């Protein structure tokens, strides 16, 4: 079980993904960056609707406090910038309803975010 709790994280992006993390906060990730992007080791699950992946800059082994949920099929993310590693998926209709509600709550521009109280991944 992975728990993301009271960290100041928000969902702040909604276009072809909804992205969540500490972007725009002063919180520093105490764990640092990921050592290895498993996508670069050819362990691949495609970035399809409902999959969750680690966000990173233009180099693959730098993900840290950001993740996104794919709102549609985004197979181009499987290889772009070394690939975006999928590590979870949204599995049921009620969870998809939450994802879609978050996507609708975030305008397609800067300024408005959706605060996260907690997320549990089992």
């Amino acid at each position: 079980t992975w728990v993301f709790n009271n960290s100041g994280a928000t969902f702040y992006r909604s276009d072809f993904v909804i992205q969540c993390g500490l972007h725009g906060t002063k919180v520093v990730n105490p764990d640092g960056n990921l050592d290895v992007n498993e996508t670069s080791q050819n362990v691949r699950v495609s970035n399809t609707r409902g999959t969750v992946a680690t966000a990173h800059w233009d180099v693959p082994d730098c993900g840290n406090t950001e993740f996104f949920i794919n709102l549609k099929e985004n197979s181009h993310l499987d290889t772009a910038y070394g690939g975006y590693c999928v590590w979870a998926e949204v599995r049921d209709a009620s969870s998809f309803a939450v994802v879609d509600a978050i996507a609708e709550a975030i305008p397609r521009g800067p300024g408005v975010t959706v605060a996260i109280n907690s997320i549990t991944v089992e």
Side-chain angles (χ1 to χ4, degrees):
T1 300
W2 175 74
V3 178
F4 201 70
N5 227 0
N6 300 318
S7 61
T10 62
F11 278 99
Y12 61 88
R13 173 183 177 185
S14 177
D15 43 28
F16 58 96
V17 301
I18 54 173
Q19 189 162 335
C20 179
L22 298 174
H23 175 78
T25 71
K26 295 181 189 220
V27 179
V28 177
N29 179 10
D31 299 323
N33 292 339
L34 295 174
D35 293 330
V36 175
N37 175 346
E38 292 177 5
T39 302
S40 66
Q41 297 176 345
N42 296 316
V43 177
R44 291 218 164 108
V45 175
S46 189
N47 283 273
T48 57
R49 176 167 162 73
T51 56
V52 182
T54 300
H56 60 74
W57 297 104
D58 296 349
V59 292
D61 296 333
C62 70
N64 53 45
T65 65
E66 304 286 315
F67 69 91
F68 59 85
I69 302 171
N70 288 288
L71 296 175
K72 64 179 193 166
E73 187 277 323
N74 290 312
S75 61
H76 67 283
L77 297 177
D78 298 346
T79 56
Y81 303 111
Y84 291 83
C85 184
V86 170
W87 49 269
E89 67 180 339
V90 177
R91 299 198 61 154
D92 59 50
S94 62
S95 296
F96 271 109
V98 171
V99 167
D100 292 337
I102 292 169
E104 288 297 316
I106 303 168
R108 302 212 187 299
V112 175
T113 61
V114 176
I116 306 302
N117 293 324
S118 70
I119 297 171
T120 303
V121 178
E122 299 182 291

